[in-house]
Amino acid sequence: MDRERLIRYLSLLVIGVAAAVPFVSGTNLYLLNVLILMLIFIIFSSSWNLLAYSGQGSLGHAAFFGIGGYASTLIAIQSGLSPYITIFLGGAFAAGIGVLIGLTCVRLKEWFLAMVTFGFAIIVQAITVSFLASITGGWDGIASPRLVSSQVPGYILIEYYSILALTIGVILLIYLIFKSKIGMAFLAIRENEIEARVSGVDPVRYKLLAFAISAGLAGIAGALEIHYFGYITPEIYGIDISFWPIIYSILGGLGTIAGPVVGTVVLTVLWDGLKIFGLTYERYIIIGAILILSVIFLPKGLVSLPDKLAGWWKRRGNKKLRNQA
Amino acid sequence: MGELEIFLQILFWGLYAGCIYILLATGLNLIFGVMKIVNFAHGEFLMVGAYVTATVFALTGLNPYVIILFSMVVLVAIGAAVERFCFRPILGTGKLNEIFLSLGLIYLFQNLAALIWTDEWQSIQSPYASISIPIGPLNVPLDYIIIMVVTAIILTGLHLFLKRSRTGRAMRATSQNRKGAMLVGIDVERMDVFSFSIGCALAAAAGTLWVVSGQVFNPYMGSIPAVKAFAIIILGGLGSIPGAIIGGLIYGVAENGAAFLLGGIWKDAVSFIILIVVLVVRPTGLFGESGE
């Protein structure tokens, strides 16, 4: 298929550009910092998007982001393992919690689910700063080992390429899931749960699977961010951390693989671009307005823009022909 | 005596907090009933209402309980605009879209407010702040009693409007059966605007009552109360106003009890624990008939 090939080449081009950036910019710390956070949020948004793909819109994904971060940090501190291993353990722990949360959610739909997930982020934060304060450091947080020790020369480049590789891996994984029987099952459940059940898809099992994968990936993203920052506080469960992946995914294109990537890149560029102009609250106002406009006028996100423009161009051409005739 | 006193104090705090939740939840319920949408940004209307009242109070020095009316009128206008330009275009395009649109509105309103009024915590002093009335072993601030009376008056007024007036009945008809209402000649889009605006006015009243009680406020104050108000209407049953009142009171009391017993951080968490427990047992809510 022509289109498929085009997308494949485009992806390779994007990966090439991402890999080449440090060669062009040198070790520009500001740029690398922006790019690393962008990559982490691509993983995070993609994980949210995967859950939404199965028809479950979470409003509290920061819970998994934070659980992954805390679990990885605590495992790394207690066991002395390298963060390169503990990020996956943290992700696995988040996936386990995700299944537990999913168990309460499988019977719920749309905004009932949204409410419960929103609440979980708040409950998890409360547990972190009260019952678990002795190991999590309460509101003050705790230091977390860095992904690569800052004594290593060029450590930030190693971190950048590690995270880039992981991001590509995650997107590939999601691509494979979407293509597989599992992805079909997610789609079937999202479109019509009863029909899915009739055709032999067990909705509960697949919804829990979606929760596990999504929470696990979000946990890995959270762990990456924490090991990159070298510090974790309960602010990681903040409402805005839950909202960002949603905004990125919607703007990019809900339920597509490219959507969260495109949305994250475009908004990160916009966000940091506006910062240069010294805007603070205005940035949020602009983001809010963009979100509203895109829900109303571009409900399928930026990835649908080329098709939309092509359609508009074609209609325009037809009109011209008709006028000439 | 000491324990009883504490218990009564918590109960009273709960009743007062409950009033604000009831007003928010009733508004959300009304909007949900007629339009079948959920606006997660409803708390932002509470916040704007609070700031309108505080600003007018600072400028004119009028009694804040009078300014409540002005604040409600302002929010009716804002609500009508939001309904017309944001929610109407996406009506019937899916529940997730409503949630996303609300997120956009949250960012928009919070940061516009921060631009206009800064994001510092503020508070105002009610003219009755120093007066309190002894009831039993408690000294109850007069403001709390006025707040409860005002809430009762607003809810009674709403009840009468919905039961007696022609428009109110048309709104109820629309919420029962939208197509049927259209068939008998009710302009349902107009009912959408009315319900949304009234919902916003109730949120403005809640915001005003929040500031006159002397509580601090900032542009981000609305999000959590709105989500809780939503939890309350799930608990109390969608479309049921008595359910919202009972749910609001339960939440107000449970929260303040939890804050006292477990610490302030559990104040918000406990309301979601209640919600989750209720939804696990009954996915349609306590009094809900059919799931959405």
Side-chain angles (χ1 to χ4, degrees):
Chain A
M1 245 168 77
D2 203 21
R3 197 188 173 86
E4 197 128 302
R5 196 180 290 166
L6 182 74
I7 289 173
R8 204 163 295 167
Y9 286 142
L10 261 178
S11 327
L12 284 177
L13 183 75
V14 171
I15 293 171
V17 169
V21 164
F23 290 101
V24 180
S25 71
T27 42
N28 181 332
L29 276 180
Y30 174 75
L31 186 68
L32 281 177
N33 181 37
V34 169
L35 287 178
I36 285 175
L37 290 179
M38 188 171 92
L39 290 172
I40 289 169
F41 270 86
I42 286 177
I43 301 179
F44 189 28
S45 308
S46 299
S47 80
W48 182 88
N49 188 44
L50 180 98
L51 191 61
Y53 193 75
S54 72
Q56 311 181 89
S58 153
L59 272 187
H61 238 47
F64 307 122
F65 195 69
I67 288 171
Y70 270 110
S72 177
T73 301
L74 292 174
I75 294 171
I77 292 175
Q78 302 286 331
S79 69
L81 284 170
S82 150
Y84 275 99
I85 299 165
T86 61
I87 49 172
F88 296 106
L89 298 178
F93 187 73
I97 302 283
V99 172
L100 290 183
I101 295 179
L103 276 174
T104 64
C105 289
V106 284
R107 291 200 293 172
L108 306 175
K109 278 208 179 136
E110 279 119 12
W111 33 264
F112 277 36
L113 180 100
M115 290 293 305
V116 168
T117 46
F118 184 94
F120 262 114
I122 290 175
I123 294 169
V124 170
Q125 186 180 47
I127 292 174
T128 306
V129 299
S130 58
F131 299 143
L132 298 178
S134 55
I135 53 169
T136 62
W139 279 113
D140 298 330
I142 40 170
S144 172
R146 286 202 58 130
L147 199 55
V148 179
S149 158
S150 51
Q151 263 103 46
V152 178
Y155 69 97
I156 191 142
L157 283 178
I158 304 176
E159 284 180 333
Y160 175 70
Y161 282 113
S162 307
I163 294 173
L164 178 64
L166 205 56
T167 310
I168 295 169
V170 165
I171 290 171
L172 219 58
L173 176 73
I174 291 176
Y175 173 78
L176 291 176
I177 291 173
F178 278 14
K179 285 273 162 194
S180 72
K181 222 181 92 189
I182 301 174
M184 301 274 281
F186 287 167
L187 207 57
I189 293 166
R190 184 182 76 188
E191 292 307 322
N192 191 327
E193 205 171 313
I194 294 169
E195 275 178 23
R197 200 176 293 166
V198 169
S199 28
V201 175
D202 178 2
V204 173
R205 231 176 81 201
Y206 281 100
K207 279 179 164 181
L208 287 179
L209 184 64
F211 249 103
I213 301 172
S214 176
L217 294 179
I220 290 175
L224 280 176
E225 186 184 78
I226 288 319
H227 289 301
Y228 171 67
F229 281 150
Y231 210 82
I232 183 165
T233 70
E235 314 233 313
I236 195 165
Y237 296 118
I239 297 173
D240 52 331
I241 304 280
S242 287
F243 284 0
W244 279 118
I246 308 177
I247 295 171
Y248 290 145
S249 304
I250 300 164
L251 185 73
L254 194 66
T256 63
I257 293 168
V261 183
V262 173
T264 309
V265 173
V266 168
L267 275 180
T268 304
V269 170
L270 186 73
W271 186 252
D272 283 275
L274 290 173
K275 197 164 144 193
I276 294 169
F277 293 106
L279 302 179
T280 52
Y281 303 126
E282 294 91 338
R283 289 200 293 181
Y284 284 102
I285 296 172
I286 292 167
I287 301 279
I290 290 176
L291 192 61
I292 294 171
L293 291 175
S294 76
V295 170
I296 296 176
F297 295 108
L298 205 60
K300 286 183 180 148
L302 284 173
V303 290
S304 72
L305 199 61
D307 280 340
K308 233 179 178 167
L309 286 179
W312 174 78
W313 189 251
K314 217 164 149 189
R315 277 197 301 280
R316 192 164 165 264
N318 288 345
K319 216 183 232 170
K320 229 178 214 169
L321 280 179
R322 244 176 289 140
N323 288 348
Q324 279 167 0
Chain B
M1 186 63 182
E3 268 177 28
L4 178 75
E5 209 167 292
I6 290 168
F7 175 74
L8 286 176
Q9 187 70 51
I10 290 172
L11 197 69
F12 212 83
W13 263 96
L15 289 180
Y16 150 73
C19 284
I20 287 173
Y21 291 146
I22 290 169
L23 286 172
L24 268 183
T26 309
L28 268 176
N29 225 340
L30 193 67
I31 297 172
F32 177 82
V34 174
M35 297 177 73
K36 303 285 177 283
I37 62 159
V38 169
N39 177 16
F40 274 101
H42 201 63
E44 289 10 269
F45 299 127
L46 169 135
M47 178 271 294
V48 176
Y51 272 103
V52 169
T53 302
T55 309
V56 174
F57 178 70
L59 289 176
T60 63
L62 278 171
N63 188 320
Y65 294 104
V66 178
I67 305 172
I68 203 170
L69 291 172
F70 176 75
S71 185
M72 286 169 84
V73 170
V74 171
L75 263 290
V76 162
I78 294 177
V82 169
E83 194 280 331
R84 178 67 192 83
F85 296 109
C86 296
F87 280 102
R88 198 181 293 177
I90 62 148
L91 218 56
T93 61
K95 293 263 176 292
L96 284 179
N97 275 348
E98 293 156 15
I99 297 175
F100 302 154
L101 191 89
S102 318
L103 294 190
L105 287 172
I106 289 175
Y107 277 99
L108 203 67
F109 275 102
Q110 284 184 350
N111 292 286
L112 276 174
L115 262 188
I116 301 172
W117 292 292
T118 77
D119 62 358
E120 308 266 310
W121 289 102
Q122 298 182 16
S123 69
I124 63 170
Q125 184 108 36
S126 153
Y128 312 122
S130 55
I131 309 171
S132 54
I133 294 169
I135 299 179
L138 292 179
N139 262 329
V140 177
L142 179 60
D143 278 311
Y144 283 25
I145 294 168
I146 302 179
I147 284 169
M148 288 172 199
V149 172
V150 170
T151 308
I153 292 172
I154 291 175
L155 289 177
T156 314
L158 181 72
H159 179 80
L160 289 177
F161 169 74
L162 288 176
K163 290 277 176 204
R164 299 282 165 78
S165 79
R166 210 180 156 74
T167 318
R169 281 149 87 168
M171 276 168 70
R172 284 195 300 143
T174 313
S175 82
Q176 279 168 9
N177 187 334
R178 199 173 171 92
K179 282 202 182 109
M182 268 181 193
L183 281 176
V184 296
I186 294 171
D187 184 349
V188 290
E189 292 200 323
R190 199 149 165 209
M191 295 307 131
D192 289 349
V193 182
F194 284 161
S195 65
F196 204 92
S197 304
I198 294 173
C200 291
L202 292 178
T208 306
L209 296 182
W210 178 305
V211 299
V212 292
S213 71
Q215 282 201 81
V216 290
F217 53 97
N218 80 353
Y220 314 111
M221 68 195 266
S223 305
I224 297 278
V227 181
K228 278 189 204 152
F230 194 59
I232 288 165
I233 68 171
I234 292 176
L235 200 72
L238 299 168
S240 154
I241 288 179
I245 295 174
I246 294 168
L249 293 178
I250 291 176
Y251 262 56
V253 174
E255 253 184 42
N256 283 291
F260 176 75
L261 293 171
L262 295 166
I265 179 77
W266 284 94
K267 194 176 171 189
D268 291 336
V270 76
S271 26
F272 291 104
I273 292 175
I274 296 175
L275 175 76
I276 291 166
V277 169
V278 167
L279 283 181
V280 167
V281 181
R282 277 200 59 133
T284 54
L286 268 191
F287 309 105
E289 286 298 315
S290 60
E292 186 51 41

